[in-house]
Amino acid sequence: MARFFRNIILLTSYIFLLSSCQEGGEAGDLWGQWHQADSDTKYISFSGSITWIKNLNDNEVYGNFQHQGDSLFMQCFSKLGIAADTMLVEQTFGFGPFTDIRLKIDKLDDDNLVLSKDNQRWSFYKY
């Protein structure tokens, strides 16, 4: 009988954990991998509260993000503390400053993400 209750408790716990995990977590509609429309090498991903910025020709940078209304806030981190990480974010992508990025979300749906800041505009599509 004790074995039966133990199995019921384990099964209930397992079901609860699976049902509480939502795809994308905090990322919401941003969740997934996005490819910059005007480039063959630029990608950005969102999962949970983590963002990943990658240029296939260079390196990659991770950071935290928050999506609030029509705003996207990102803070990037350099694991190695090298200038190339800052250059990737600020020059290659045009986002900045490295540790305090604030972008406006002009469009966000299942397939398209359009970000803007001042007179710059970035278009991404989900892949």
Side-chain angles (χ1 to χ4, degrees), residues 11-23:
L11 180 62
T12 304
S13 299
Y14 182 70
I15 290 171
F16 176 75
L17 287 173
L18 283 179
S19 65
S20 68
C21 294
Q22 297 178 0
E23 186 175 281

Side-chain angles (χ1 to χ4, degrees), residues 2 34 46 55 64 111 115 125:
W34 299 88
F46 300 95
N55 183 351
N64 294 326
D111 299 317
L115 303 171
Y125 62 88

Side-chain angles (χ1 to χ4, degrees), residues 20 31-34 37 41 79 87 101-102 106 114 124:
S20 68
W31 183 84
Q33 298 180 7
W34 299 88
T41 61
K79 292 187 300 186
M87 288 175 54
I101 301 167
R102 297 168 187 249
D106 293 329
V114 179
F124 297 87

Side-chain angles (χ1 to χ4, degrees), residues 19-74:
S19 65
S20 68
C21 294
Q22 297 178 0
E23 186 175 281
E26 296 174 30
D29 293 339
L30 285 171
W31 183 84
Q33 298 180 7
W34 299 88
H35 180 232
Q36 191 165 346
D38 63 351
S39 171
D40 292 334
T41 61
K42 296 178 187 176
Y43 297 86
I44 188 167
S45 298
F46 300 95
S47 180
S49 63
I50 304 295
T51 186
W52 173 66
I53 300 171
K54 171 124 179 99
N55 183 351
L56 297 179
N57 296 331
D58 292 321
N59 53 343
E60 59 191 27
V61 172
Y62 292 91
N64 294 326
F65 78 92
Q66 290 181 333
H67 175 200
Q68 297 174 350
D70 68 347
S71 297
L72 176 62
F73 303 95
M74 294 189 290

Side-chain angles (χ1 to χ4, degrees), residues 42 87-96 103 117 120 122:
K42 296 178 187 176
M87 288 175 54
L88 170 68
V89 173
E90 292 183 355
Q91 293 178 7
T92 303
F93 276 84
F95 301 158
L103 303 169
K117 181 178 182 178
Q120 295 181 304
W122 303 270

